[in-house]
Amino acid sequence: MQTQPEIVLSVRNADLGYGTLQVVFDVSLEVKRGELIGLVGGNGSGKSTMLRAVSGMIKPMAGEILFNGQSIAGLKPHQTARLGLAHVPMGRQLFPNLSVKENLLMGAYLPHLRATRDQRLDEVTTLFPDLKKYESSLAGALSGGQQQMVAIGRALMLDPIMLIMDEPSIGLSPLYVKEVMKAIRKVADTGLPVLLVEQNIKQVLQVSDRTYVLENGRLVLEGTAAELEGHPVIRKAYLGL
Ligand SMILES: Nc1ncnc2c1ncn2[C@@H]1O[C@H](COP(=O)(O)OP(=O)(O)O)[C@@H](O)[C@H]1O
Ligand SMILES: [Mg+2]
């Protein structure tokens, strides 16, 4: 068991963008050990840009990103993955013509994971028994909700220190959205911190420990579900109450 700092991810005063175009302004957020943190906001508010900066797809224009006590701003995605940051990408990005099991094993692609990957597969399919049930099915033949579970399972195969997810509920029917959210909560309950990006604030508030609200590239609110559900701005603009 590695000892980890209490704060697993800390983004400090991040300015983010593409080329010279800045789209995220002075954003700070923290994810502590065992927390499920939501990051919500409308389309184009900068959520994916935040995740891209954390995973290493873009380099911050300014600010600091600390993961597990170490600065990761400017590292490449394969380097942050190596440090234990697992990214569940938007749109799941499975190999449709490979089986569920083969897709899961792809998650343990790093050389140092090869020796333990069968044991890890057992752990992941014990957490999510459906993955075992469907292990021989082609990933492309599954429903959207089942595919999302495979994408989550594949990320867990990395034996990560933290999980970041970009809109796992996108394109899913309400019933599957609920199931996927429940599954994400289950992951967090194993002690693995999760940063969950979603447009669907209602669903996120049901499972998250705390949630940050992003509008036009700026953080406007942060709080627990109870705090945000009671907040007049959230009630009006996001929950339609
Ligand atoms: N590769 C890119 N190049 C230039 N601008 C981008 C790129 N990706 C996203 N943007 C812009 O950055 C802003 C935030 O986008 P994004 O982070 O994808 O928002 P969200 O994920 O919240 O929908 C948007 O205005 C979007 O047009
Ligand atoms: Mg996005």
Side-chain angles (χ1 to χ4, degrees), residues 1-5 33 68 82-84 112 159-161:
M1 197 55 203
Q2 301 178 51
T3 47
Q4 290 170 16
R33 221 179 323 167
N68 207 20
R82 184 83 176 76
L83 292 174
H112 74 281
D159 201 5
I161 290 172

mmCIF file of all heavy atoms in Angstrom, residues 1-5 33 68 82-84 112 159-161:
data_model
loop_
_atom_site.group_PDB
_atom_site.id
_atom_site.type_symbol
_atom_site.label_atom_id
_atom_site.label_comp_id
_atom_site.label_asym_id
_atom_site.label_seq_id
_atom_site.Cartn_x
_atom_site.Cartn_y
_atom_site.Cartn_z
ATOM 1 N N MET A 1 0.852 -1.205 0.000
ATOM 2 C CA MET A 1 0.000 0.000 0.000
ATOM 3 C C MET A 1 0.881 1.247 0.000
ATOM 4 O O MET A 1 1.707 1.438 0.880
ATOM 5 C CB MET A 1 -0.859 -0.084 1.277
ATOM 6 C CG MET A 1 -2.096 0.772 1.379
ATOM 7 S SD MET A 1 -3.308 0.645 0.109
ATOM 8 C CE MET A 1 -4.122 2.229 0.300
ATOM 9 N N GLN A 2 0.721 2.081 -1.010
ATOM 10 C CA GLN A 2 1.475 3.332 -1.053
ATOM 11 C C GLN A 2 0.833 4.332 -0.095
ATOM 12 O O GLN A 2 -0.381 4.368 0.028
ATOM 13 C CB GLN A 2 1.408 3.963 -2.431
ATOM 14 C CG GLN A 2 1.926 3.107 -3.546
ATOM 15 C CD GLN A 2 1.771 3.826 -4.867
ATOM 16 O OE1 GLN A 2 2.179 4.964 -5.002
ATOM 17 N NE2 GLN A 2 1.177 3.179 -5.849
ATOM 18 N N THR A 3 1.642 5.133 0.580
ATOM 19 C CA THR A 3 1.040 6.223 1.341
ATOM 20 C C THR A 3 0.844 7.398 0.396
ATOM 21 O O THR A 3 1.748 7.766 -0.350
ATOM 22 C CB THR A 3 1.925 6.662 2.526
ATOM 23 O OG1 THR A 3 3.235 6.814 2.056
ATOM 24 C CG2 THR A 3 1.867 5.663 3.653
ATOM 25 N N GLN A 4 -0.337 7.950 0.434
ATOM 26 C CA GLN A 4 -0.659 9.052 -0.459
ATOM 27 C C GLN A 4 -0.964 10.287 0.348
ATOM 28 O O GLN A 4 -1.517 10.198 1.431
ATOM 29 C CB GLN A 4 -1.898 8.701 -1.291
ATOM 30 C CG GLN A 4 -1.656 7.632 -2.309
ATOM 31 C CD GLN A 4 -2.972 7.177 -2.917
ATOM 32 O OE1 GLN A 4 -3.984 7.852 -2.778
ATOM 33 N NE2 GLN A 4 -2.959 6.049 -3.559
ATOM 34 N N PRO A 5 -0.651 11.457 -0.225
ATOM 35 C CA PRO A 5 -1.052 12.681 0.461
ATOM 36 C C PRO A 5 -2.575 12.783 0.496
ATOM 37 O O PRO A 5 -3.270 12.173 -0.316
ATOM 38 C CB PRO A 5 -0.444 13.789 -0.399
ATOM 39 C CG PRO A 5 0.008 13.167 -1.657
ATOM 40 C CD PRO A 5 0.056 11.695 -1.477
ATOM 41 N N ARG A 33 -8.285 12.371 -1.078
ATOM 42 C CA ARG A 33 -8.368 10.917 -1.051
ATOM 43 C C ARG A 33 -9.808 10.466 -0.785
ATOM 44 O O ARG A 33 -10.459 10.977 0.127
ATOM 45 C CB ARG A 33 -7.471 10.392 0.069
ATOM 46 C CG ARG A 33 -6.700 9.176 -0.318
ATOM 47 C CD ARG A 33 -5.801 8.690 0.775
ATOM 48 N NE ARG A 33 -5.191 9.750 1.552
ATOM 49 C CZ ARG A 33 -4.574 9.534 2.718
ATOM 50 N NH1 ARG A 33 -4.488 8.325 3.196
ATOM 51 N NH2 ARG A 33 -4.030 10.523 3.395
ATOM 52 N N ASN A 68 -0.819 13.814 -6.632
ATOM 53 C CA ASN A 68 -0.145 12.936 -5.692
ATOM 54 C C ASN A 68 1.163 13.571 -5.193
ATOM 55 O O ASN A 68 2.184 12.905 -5.063
ATOM 56 C CB ASN A 68 0.117 11.584 -6.366
ATOM 57 C CG ASN A 68 0.193 10.447 -5.385
ATOM 58 O OD1 ASN A 68 -0.289 10.554 -4.255
ATOM 59 N ND2 ASN A 68 0.811 9.355 -5.781
ATOM 60 N N ARG A 82 1.170 6.809 -16.289
ATOM 61 C CA ARG A 82 2.212 6.052 -15.586
ATOM 62 C C ARG A 82 2.233 6.397 -14.100
ATOM 63 O O ARG A 82 2.541 5.567 -13.257
ATOM 64 C CB ARG A 82 3.562 6.377 -16.254
ATOM 65 C CG ARG A 82 4.764 5.616 -15.745
ATOM 66 C CD ARG A 82 4.846 4.256 -16.423
ATOM 67 N NE ARG A 82 6.046 3.524 -16.025
ATOM 68 C CZ ARG A 82 6.199 2.915 -14.852
ATOM 69 N NH1 ARG A 82 5.242 2.966 -13.955
ATOM 70 N NH2 ARG A 82 7.310 2.253 -14.582
ATOM 71 N N LEU A 83 1.874 7.653 -13.781
ATOM 72 C CA LEU A 83 1.844 8.092 -12.381
ATOM 73 C C LEU A 83 0.562 7.656 -11.667
ATOM 74 O O LEU A 83 0.410 7.886 -10.471
ATOM 75 C CB LEU A 83 1.978 9.612 -12.295
ATOM 76 C CG LEU A 83 3.324 10.208 -12.712
ATOM 77 C CD1 LEU A 83 3.254 11.726 -12.703
ATOM 78 C CD2 LEU A 83 4.440 9.720 -11.789
ATOM 79 N N GLY A 84 -0.375 7.068 -12.424
ATOM 80 C CA GLY A 84 -1.576 6.545 -11.781
ATOM 81 C C GLY A 84 -2.829 7.367 -11.998
ATOM 82 O O GLY A 84 -3.806 7.245 -11.260
ATOM 83 N N HIS A 112 4.719 -2.436 -16.531
ATOM 84 C CA HIS A 112 4.811 -2.856 -15.128
ATOM 85 C C HIS A 112 3.510 -3.486 -14.617
ATOM 86 O O HIS A 112 3.479 -4.035 -13.520
ATOM 87 C CB HIS A 112 5.238 -1.689 -14.228
ATOM 88 C CG HIS A 112 4.163 -0.666 -13.998
ATOM 89 N ND1 HIS A 112 3.847 0.303 -14.921
ATOM 90 C CD2 HIS A 112 3.321 -0.481 -12.955
ATOM 91 C CE1 HIS A 112 2.867 1.056 -14.445
ATOM 92 N NE2 HIS A 112 2.527 0.599 -13.261
ATOM 93 N N ASP A 159 -4.992 0.129 -12.376
ATOM 94 C CA ASP A 159 -4.749 0.180 -10.932
ATOM 95 C C ASP A 159 -4.381 1.611 -10.512
ATOM 96 O O ASP A 159 -3.327 1.852 -9.903
ATOM 97 C CB ASP A 159 -3.634 -0.798 -10.537
ATOM 98 C CG ASP A 159 -3.710 -1.150 -9.049
ATOM 99 O OD1 ASP A 159 -4.678 -0.702 -8.392
ATOM 100 O OD2 ASP A 159 -2.806 -1.822 -8.553
ATOM 101 N N PRO A 160 -5.270 2.541 -10.879
ATOM 102 C CA PRO A 160 -4.904 3.955 -10.755
ATOM 103 C C PRO A 160 -4.967 4.482 -9.330
ATOM 104 O O PRO A 160 -5.525 3.841 -8.435
ATOM 105 C CB PRO A 160 -5.957 4.657 -11.625
ATOM 106 C CG PRO A 160 -7.148 3.768 -11.552
ATOM 107 C CD PRO A 160 -6.631 2.366 -11.414
ATOM 108 N N ILE A 161 -4.426 5.684 -9.170
ATOM 109 C CA ILE A 161 -4.500 6.434 -7.920
ATOM 110 C C ILE A 161 -5.708 7.357 -7.974
ATOM 111 O O ILE A 161 -6.270 7.737 -6.961
ATOM 112 C CB ILE A 161 -3.195 7.239 -7.724
ATOM 113 C CG1 ILE A 161 -2.046 6.274 -7.428
ATOM 114 C CG2 ILE A 161 -3.327 8.289 -6.628
ATOM 115 C CD1 ILE A 161 -0.695 6.943 -7.409
#
